Amino acid sequence: MTLRSLLAALFAFFTLGLGVTSRAADAPRTAPLMRDFMGINGHFTFKPELYRPTCDLVRNYHSTVWDLGDDTALPTTFPLARNKVNWADVYGAWQKQGYHIDACLQFESIKPAAWKNLEGDTRAYGEAFAKYFGPSGKNLVESVEIGNEPASYDAATYRKVFENMAKGLRAGDPKLKISAACANAENPDKYSKNVSAFAGLEDLYDILNIHTYSFLEGWPTWRRVWPEHANIGYLKVVTDMVKYRDAHAPGKEIWVTEFGYDAGTGKTGTGDFAKWVSSSETEQAQWIVRSYLMFSSLGIDRAYLYYYDDNDEAKLHGASGITRHFVPKPAYYAMQQLYEVLGDYRFNRIVKQDKEDLYIFEYVNPNKPKEPIWVAWSPTGTQRIVSKPIKVPGEITKVESMPLKANDSSQSTIVPAQPNIPSGKRGTSISELDVMISESPLYLWLKLP
């Protein structure tokens, strides 16, 4: 062996031992298309046809106790749960509508001491689930989460559940993506685990999972504010996780699996929710869309909205649906527009980001790189409408603002090609346009020289 080859071998040995990642893991990240980014949280009563115009991804709260009943040692009877729910019918109906399904395996209602054999039962359950539902089985579920918010499980006990259920899932179907429960890289609360709970088990998961809500205040108001607000940790928990992933788990995906806003009709809460504060329906629509836009710029892979439907209850998360009694709210139409306009586009760059004034993000369709779409909005939470000069590098062929109801044709306007550019300079100049900007995102179709 030559000196050069010996040194190369020693370098490889030590870098692998130190966990130094491969060149592939360090490759520049390509943002997902928005249709592969936008998701919604569903459950047993989810109506797949109704929500199909808003996203491609749906996350289900899959109750483990439904499958296992009172005896965790009994073998599962998939596709039937112990309570006779047929999961093949549920997931099959969603899949027929074109959804990609993530199952959040909620074992939290089973107390730690109730498992007959915690390690053995969780592993057996994971293996049976993956064999039946995974891509190599009935191909009904593409990914699973091991728990939602396992507050009743301490870190050590959760780690046992995670490790054993993940081993079962891997054995049942290696093609099934695995996520841990809701986690936090810096300051976990009651409902999230510190990422240290599954440190060293990186080969058993593919996804890091975050829940985040834009609370300005906790109990008793649970007041939420706009996503760009400077004094909340709404986006910071995401950027903290990105930093952790890049340093300790390169190559893993990051999903926000819960975010959202209550928007009721003004009912007064009682008891613990007597001082609960609701957002307006307009704010809910604006803040949902802007949250998707903000998340798309942070280097993560998916974001699932909470929730699909509500009953207009005056309590925390009681009015978070984009429908009420399965009738669309303004947020439904705003989310539908975002999906339809940007579904084939991916986040490309920040054109402008002034927290006191104006945000402009650029999205690009990889098949039409010279025809980007800009999204512009006011991030101030003031519901102001102001005229702002925007420099545009080319033609604007269409402008569309956010609708709050169905068939809102007044929200859409076709504009002349390259307004304000003198004759003879079309296709070469940058025009400065005066554009009316509000808290509702404005979409601008561009055509570059």
Side-chain angles (χ1 to χ4, degrees), residues 4-324:
R4 177 176 294 180
S5 60
L6 176 61
L7 290 173
L10 289 171
F11 175 79
F13 174 81
F14 284 111
T15 54
L16 286 171
L18 291 170
V20 176
T21 59
S22 67
R23 186 180 299 272
D26 295 329
R29 178 184 178 277
T30 300
L33 298 179
M34 289 298 283
R35 69 173 60 259
D36 298 325
F37 184 82
M38 295 173 58
I40 196 166
N41 278 279
H43 196 36
F44 185 70
T45 61
F46 184 75
K47 297 181 183 297
E49 300 90 344
L50 176 59
Y51 300 96
R52 190 61 185 88
T54 66
C55 62
D56 281 4
L57 312 175
V58 62
R59 174 181 184 252
N60 182 47
Y61 293 97
H62 185 112
S63 178
T64 298
V65 75
W66 288 11
D67 297 333
L68 296 176
D70 296 330
D71 188 346
T72 63
L74 288 176
T76 55
T77 57
F78 293 133
L80 290 179
R82 298 284 179 205
N83 65 359
K84 304 307 179 183
V85 166
N86 189 320
W87 291 115
D89 290 344
V90 174
Y91 290 137
W94 298 5
Q95 192 182 68
K96 285 179 182 178
Q97 291 297 318
Y99 285 106
H100 302 276
I101 300 168
D102 172 59
C104 178
L105 304 179
Q106 284 191 290
F107 61 82
E108 293 90 332
S109 60
I110 303 173
K111 294 181 179 179
W115 295 91
K116 297 295 179 64
N117 179 337
L118 188 143
E119 290 90 343
D121 293 351
T122 53
R123 181 163 183 162
Y125 177 79
E127 185 168 354
F129 186 95
K131 281 183 176 179
Y132 188 89
F133 294 103
S136 301
K138 297 299 182 180
N139 195 25
L140 293 170
V141 171
E142 297 182 3
S143 58
V144 294
E145 300 167 41
I146 302 176
N148 183 47
E149 295 178 345
S152 59
Y153 283 67
D154 61 36
T157 307
Y158 174 74
R159 183 181 174 92
K160 289 181 182 178
V161 173
F162 170 77
E163 182 173 7
N164 286 280
M165 195 176 290
K167 286 179 178 178
L169 290 163
R170 284 279 193 252
D173 189 349
K175 294 181 181 179
L176 189 66
K177 288 186 175 182
I178 299 174
S179 169
C182 171
N184 194 302
E186 293 292 335
N187 299 301
D189 57 17
K190 175 182 177 181
Y191 302 102
S192 62
K193 296 301 180 192
N194 192 289
V195 287
S196 62
F198 35 90
L201 302 176
E202 285 76 17
D203 60 327
L204 293 178
Y205 70 88
D206 309 286
I207 302 150
L208 291 163
N209 182 350
I210 308 167
H211 294 179
T212 187
Y213 291 94
S214 63
F215 291 120
L216 183 63
E217 302 166 348
W219 183 87
T221 66
W222 302 108
R223 186 190 304 272
R224 301 182 216 195
V225 290
W226 56 99
E228 309 87 356
H229 197 289
N231 297 325
I232 58 175
Y234 183 56
L235 301 177
K236 186 177 184 300
V237 297
V238 180
T239 56
D240 285 345
M241 188 65 83
V242 171
K243 292 176 183 176
Y244 173 86
R245 184 269 310 277
D246 293 347
H248 303 286
K252 304 299 183 184
E253 296 185 22
I254 296 175
W255 296 2
V256 171
T257 57
E258 283 190 17
F259 76 96
Y261 298 90
D262 281 321
T265 59
K267 292 182 179 179
T268 302
T270 59
D272 287 343
F273 301 105
K275 295 183 179 180
W276 168 83
V277 176
S278 171
S279 307
S280 72
E281 291 186 346
T282 296
E283 289 172 334
Q284 182 195 36
Q286 293 168 337
W287 298 350
I288 285 173
V289 171
R290 284 156 50 186
S291 289
Y292 276 122
L293 297 172
M294 292 303 301
F295 292 145
S296 75
S297 74
L298 298 181
I300 67 172
D301 299 274
R302 290 188 186 181
Y304 289 84
L305 175 71
Y306 187 92
Y307 199 36
Y308 67 107
D309 189 61
D310 68 57
N311 295 317
D312 193 24
E313 298 174 274
K315 64 179 184 179
L316 180 63
H317 302 311
S320 285
I322 60 171
T323 63
R324 177 175 299 122

